[in-house]
């Protein structure tokens, strides 16, 4: 690579040629196969002029032989004039090519590429004088060129100005295609004047402002056949994607409440399920990811702490089982990708540690939730287990270097502070659009690449889309619904506990397993504010545990899945029907995910088809126990 160094650079050490050769090899794959030309080349025009001139001479010679030299001259002169015109054009084209070649050499030196042949420069609309200068310039450069600087495009425009003597401004910079378009403002209509310096940089940044809302697009067949998951768009409108199966493919979503973590996780879950991957979800807030609870290929959404501990333990066992398969000779490509989503990980890990301490397990050295997640981050990617974590605080220990090395993708949503620096590896006082408090606005770090500001895709929650009745949301949600359910629903299956001590309960959790199908036992969603109508509360009319007076309450209620409904249950299916008596519960034919419920109420009877995992409230009448 030719560097414009002082003369004493000739005394370089013997290692410098190797380093230069290695630098050149970085660009070999980016070298264009052949130079591109806009129109005919100078040599082509010259050859055409010569051929036309020979044609004119042949016409005159033939007519001269036929004793018609005057007619031949009349016919040959226009042909020869056309040949002369083409030759003049070839001369001008040669001069313009020389200008472009000199510009390419100057830009090659500015961009530090091995030579001008690594650049593609397309010049158009030449004006001014015999040779003129181009009004539009398209410069395409190799991917190895570092264009991450905020004023990189303006610096290239300055280099072009130094070579051509005309002021250019940046018309467009397509980062994805590595194409820069420059325009000469002095030759364009309107009140455009050349600008440079910090003011133009800020105005250019303002012109590239990200939209505040970008809806996720329906996936194509090619999208679902691949493993790359789109996350959002950057300031140039280019789609930014995440490869979960790449080295260090795990993802961390970082942001405060309201920054867009739930929407981001919903989109990732729908994308993974649409590709046929099994998805396990730990939702420590219990209600944030309710919308995917009955989604095909989402095998389980653990909402209670006990179920969350079991699911994490089983995910660790799944990873160990996959590692054993690889040890026995299986190839990683044979292992199906699996996504484990842990929403509000730090809160869940703290609650799990407190539960272990209450059970007397802290002193026994039992592995904590943080230990299990650390193992999954370190070894899961080798067996195609994808871990997606969300945390709220930017000073979370997950952002330490020992964890950051295993988190290949970090999506920092909302305004960041100095604690985000280790995860993003960028300046904390950067004042770009990514720091604005816009839901879904984020800084993304993929591997060792510089952080990118993007607007994350907005994905409708399936449950909310069903309730709102929005046609556009419903259409987009259905576009992601898998046509074939490849992974069955799972539920936590615990062994029988013979005593109610904390140690026994913890042992039950550690021995619990995940079984196929829906649970027919206690739902774990019991309404512990059930009111008692017997005893002193009922006699005195004083407020019960729920704050409702006993004389106004008959029985107690709990929340169950519709698959647990039985004829005779008094249930509240929705707000419109109110409390009704269930008369019939049947599975929908050819659809293992839905059931049909026949009911009768005070205003008549009807039927309703709902998901098997939808939750409803049922009421139990007083049985003398409560």
């Amino acid at each position: 690579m030719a560097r414009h160094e002082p003369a004493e650079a000739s005394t370089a050490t013997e290692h410098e040629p190797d380093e230069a050769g290695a630098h050149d090899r970085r660009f070999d794959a980016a070298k264009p196969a052949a130079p591109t030309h806009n129109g005919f080349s100078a040599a082509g025009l010259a050859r055409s002029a010569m051929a036309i001139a020979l044609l004119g001479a042949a016409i005159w010679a033939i007519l001269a032989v036929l004793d018609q030299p005057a007619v031949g001259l009349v016919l040959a002169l226009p042909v020869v004039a056309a040949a002369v015109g083409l030759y003049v054009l070839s001369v001008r084209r040669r001069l313009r090519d020389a200008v472009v070649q000199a510009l390419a050499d100057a830009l090659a030196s500015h961009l530090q590429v091995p030579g001008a042949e690594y650049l593609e420069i397309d010049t158009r609309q030449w004006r001014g004088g015999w040779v003129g200068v181009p009004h539009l310039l398209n410069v395409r450069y190799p991917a190895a060129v570092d264009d991450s600087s905020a004023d990189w495009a303006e610096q290239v425009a300055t280099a072009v100005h130094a070579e051509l003597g005309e002021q250019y401004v940046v018309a467009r910079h397509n980062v994805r295609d590595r194409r820069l378009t420059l325009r000469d403002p002095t030759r364009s209509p309107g009140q455009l004047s050349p600008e440079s310096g910090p003011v133009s940089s800020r105005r250019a940044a303002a012109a590239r402002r990200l939209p505040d809302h970008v809806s996720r697009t329906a996936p194509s067949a090619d999208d679902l056949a691949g493993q790359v998951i789109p996350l959002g768009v950057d300031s140039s409108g280019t789609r930014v994607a995440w490869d979960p199966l790449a080295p260090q493919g795990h993802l961390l979503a970082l942001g405060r409440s309201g920054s867009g973590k739930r929407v981001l996780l919903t989109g990732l879950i729908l994308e993974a399920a649409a590709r046929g991957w099994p998805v396990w979800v730990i939702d420590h807030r219990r209600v944030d990811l309710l919308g995917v609870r009955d989604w095909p290929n989402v095998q389980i959404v653990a909402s209670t702490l006990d179920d969350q501990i079991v699911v994490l333990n089983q995910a660790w066992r799944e990873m160990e089982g996959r590692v054993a398969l690889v040890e026995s000779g299986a190839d990683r490509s044979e292992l199906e990708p699996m996504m484990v989503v842990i929403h509000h990980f730090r809160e869940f890990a703290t609650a799990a540690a407190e539960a272990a301490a209450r059970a007397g397990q802290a002193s026994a050295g039992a592995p904590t939730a943080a230990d299990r997640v650390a193992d999954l981050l370190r070894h899961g990617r080798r067996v195609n287990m994808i871990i997606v974590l969300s945390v709220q605080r930017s000073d979370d220990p997950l952002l330490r270097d020992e964890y950051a090395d295993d988190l290949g993708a970090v999506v920092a949503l909302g305004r960041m502070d100095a604690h985000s620096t280790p995860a993003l590896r960028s300046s904390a006082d950067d004042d770009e659009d990514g720091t604005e408090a816009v839901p879904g606005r984020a800084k993304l770090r993929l591997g060792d690449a510089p952080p990118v500001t993007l607007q994350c895709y907005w994905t409708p929650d399936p449950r909310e889309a069903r309730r709102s009745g929005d046609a556009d949301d419903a259409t987009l949600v259905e576009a992601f619904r898998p046509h074939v359910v490849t992974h069955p629903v799972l539920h936590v299956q615990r062994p029988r506990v013979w005593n109610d001590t904390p140690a026994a309960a913890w042992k039950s959790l550690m021995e619990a397993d995940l079984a196929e199908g829906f649970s027919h036992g206690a739902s774990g969603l019991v309404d512990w504010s059930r009111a008692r109508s017997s005893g002193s509360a009922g006699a005195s009319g004083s407020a019960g545990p729920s704050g409702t007076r006993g004389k106004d309450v008959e029985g107690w209620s709990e929340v169950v899945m519709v698959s647990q409904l039985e004829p005779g249950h008094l249930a509240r299916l929705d707000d419109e029907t109110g409390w009704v008596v269930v008369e019939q519960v049947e599975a929908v034919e050819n659809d293992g995910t839905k059931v049909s419920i026949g009911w009768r109420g005070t205003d008549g009877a009807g039927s309703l088809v709902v998901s098997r995992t939808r939750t409803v409230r049922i009421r139990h009448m007083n049985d003398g126990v409560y």
Side-chain angles (χ1 to χ4, degrees):
M1 173 179 167
R3 296 178 181 270
H4 298 283
E5 302 289 351
E8 57 267 19
S10 61
T11 61
T13 64
E14 59 182 359
H15 300 288
E16 288 184 353
D18 293 338
E19 293 176 356
H23 182 76
D24 289 348
R25 285 192 293 272
R26 285 194 300 117
F27 291 86
D28 286 344
K31 186 175 181 180
T36 58
H37 294 281
N38 182 23
F40 292 99
S41 64
L45 290 173
R47 287 192 296 268
S48 299
M50 185 176 296
I52 293 175
L54 291 176
L55 176 62
I59 292 174
W60 179 83
I62 292 173
L63 291 177
V65 170
L66 296 177
D67 200 22
Q68 296 292 332
V71 176
L73 183 61
V74 172
L75 295 177
L77 281 177
V79 177
V80 173
V84 172
L86 284 178
Y87 181 77
V88 172
L89 291 178
S90 71
V91 172
R92 187 171 70 171
R93 183 57 188 260
R94 188 177 300 110
L95 295 176
R96 288 181 174 177
D97 287 346
V99 173
V100 174
Q101 183 61 41
L103 176 62
D105 292 337
L107 289 181
S109 176
H110 175 77
L111 299 177
Q112 296 185 347
V113 298
E117 65 273 16
Y118 289 84
L119 302 175
E120 291 185 48
I121 300 181
D122 178 22
T123 57
R124 301 186 181 187
Q125 301 180 21
W126 290 70
R127 300 173 185 172
W130 161 243
V131 177
V133 291
H135 173 60
L136 288 177
L137 280 172
N138 289 308
V139 181
R140 189 167 187 177
Y141 52 93
V145 174
D146 182 10
D147 60 352
S148 59
S149 175
D151 59 345
W152 179 88
E154 284 76 15
Q155 292 178 4
V156 174
T158 301
V160 173
H161 168 66
E163 179 65 27
L164 299 182
E166 294 289 338
Q167 181 70 53
Y168 288 84
V169 295
V170 178
R172 186 184 180 191
H173 184 199
N174 190 329
V175 180
R176 178 184 59 184
D177 294 334
R178 300 175 300 280
R179 185 184 299 274
L180 175 65
T181 301
L182 302 178
R183 185 160 51 110
D184 178 9
T186 62
R187 302 178 184 278
S188 62
Q191 300 299 322
L192 180 62
S193 59
E195 293 181 309
S196 60
V199 175
S200 64
S201 299
R202 289 195 297 269
R203 293 185 181 179
R208 298 192 298 267
R209 288 180 65 88
L210 286 163
D212 292 345
H213 180 90
V214 181
S215 295
R216 188 176 294 273
T217 57
S220 64
D222 293 339
D223 292 335
L224 298 182
Q227 65 190 38
V228 177
I229 295 178
L231 297 177
V233 297
D234 62 13
S235 58
S236 65
T238 304
R239 187 175 74 167
V240 180
W242 162 55
D243 185 356
L245 297 183
Q248 303 173 331
H250 307 306
L251 183 142
L252 171 66
L254 167 66
R256 304 171 184 174
S257 296
S259 59
K261 296 192 303 297
R262 180 182 64 87
V263 175
L264 173 64
L265 296 183
T266 300
L268 297 181
I269 292 171
L270 296 192
E271 291 273 4
R275 287 161 173 77
W277 302 349
V279 181
W280 294 4
V281 180
I282 294 175
D283 181 11
H284 188 65
R285 291 286 178 89
R286 301 187 61 169
V287 296
D288 282 359
L289 298 174
L290 274 178
V292 299
R293 178 172 289 184
D294 59 349
W295 195 255
N297 295 330
V298 178
Q299 295 190 281
I300 187 169
V301 178
S303 56
T304 64
L305 179 60
D306 288 353
D307 286 358
Q308 292 164 10
I309 294 174
V310 173
V311 169
L312 178 59
N313 199 38
Q314 290 301 312
W316 180 83
R317 290 182 183 177
E318 172 71 17
M319 181 195 69
E320 291 295 307
R322 292 184 174 213
V323 170
L325 288 175
V326 173
E327 288 178 338
S328 63
D331 189 77
R332 177 189 176 187
S333 60
E334 301 173 2
L335 302 175
E336 185 176 29
M338 174 181 176
M339 180 177 288
V340 180
V341 179
I342 306 177
H343 189 30
H344 290 289
F345 163 71
R346 184 53 55 194
E347 297 177 14
F348 159 62
T350 301
E354 292 174 352
R358 287 193 300 269
Q361 301 299 311
S363 59
T368 64
D371 296 331
R372 292 301 195 207
V373 169
D375 285 345
L376 288 169
L377 290 176
R378 293 190 185 99
H379 310 297
R381 64 183 179 85
R382 303 179 186 273
V383 290
N384 290 350
M385 289 193 67
I386 307 154
I387 311 302
V388 177
L389 305 175
S390 82
V391 295
Q392 197 167 23
R393 292 180 56 87
S394 58
D395 58 350
D396 193 277
L398 273 175
L399 305 185
R400 296 193 307 239
D401 291 339
E402 59 193 276
Y403 293 110
D405 291 340
D406 297 312
L407 293 166
V410 177
V411 184
L413 295 121
R415 289 190 179 276
M416 295 293 102
D417 52 35
H419 297 294
S420 308
T421 303
L424 295 175
R425 299 195 180 106
S426 69
S427 173
D429 58 358
D430 188 8
D431 191 23
E432 295 184 6
D433 290 346
T435 62
E436 292 183 1
V438 176
R441 187 66 51 82
K443 281 290 190 67
L444 169 68
R445 191 262 295 166
L446 291 174
D448 296 327
V452 177
T453 303
L454 77 157
Q455 180 66 31
C456 294
Y457 285 124
W458 180 83
T459 307
D461 181 274
R463 187 166 180 252
E464 296 175 0
R466 182 173 60 246
R467 288 183 171 183
S468 66
D470 188 291
D472 293 337
D473 288 353
T475 300
L476 179 58
V477 167
E478 288 303 315
F480 279 95
R481 184 181 294 276
H483 299 292
V484 178
V485 180
T486 55
H487 300 281
V489 173
L490 300 176
H491 70 274
V492 174
Q493 190 175 56
R494 302 183 184 88
R496 184 182 296 274
V497 180
W498 297 104
N499 57 66
D500 57 355
T501 63
W506 185 264
K507 182 180 179 181
S508 172
L509 290 180
M510 294 299 100
E511 295 177 355
D513 202 351
L514 296 179
E516 294 186 6
F518 299 95
S519 173
H520 296 287
S523 66
L525 297 176
V526 177
D527 180 9
W528 296 112
S529 63
R530 57 180 65 160
R532 305 179 184 183
S533 60
S534 60
S536 60
S540 63
S542 61
S546 65
T548 305
R549 297 187 178 275
K551 64 180 182 181
D552 298 327
V553 176
E554 295 182 357
W556 55 276
S557 66
E558 66 175 328
V559 177
V560 300
M561 289 186 292
V562 296
S563 59
Q564 299 172 245
L565 288 177
E566 297 178 359
H569 273 159
L570 182 62
R572 188 177 182 88
L573 301 180
D574 54 39
D575 294 336
E576 183 177 351
T577 60
W579 289 99
V580 297
V581 177
V582 177
E583 293 189 331
Q584 188 178 26
V585 180
E586 291 183 345
V588 176
E589 187 177 358
N590 298 326
D591 191 343
T593 65
K594 293 183 174 62
V595 295
S596 175
I597 305 173
W599 55 268
R600 181 175 299 277
T602 56
D603 296 330
S607 63
L608 189 65
V609 176
V610 297
S611 169
R612 292 176 63 92
T613 57
R614 179 175 171 181
T615 58
V616 296
R617 185 174 295 277
I618 63 175
R619 174 171 291 175
H620 299 268
M621 306 310 293
N622 290 324
D623 52 10
V625 177
Y626 293 96

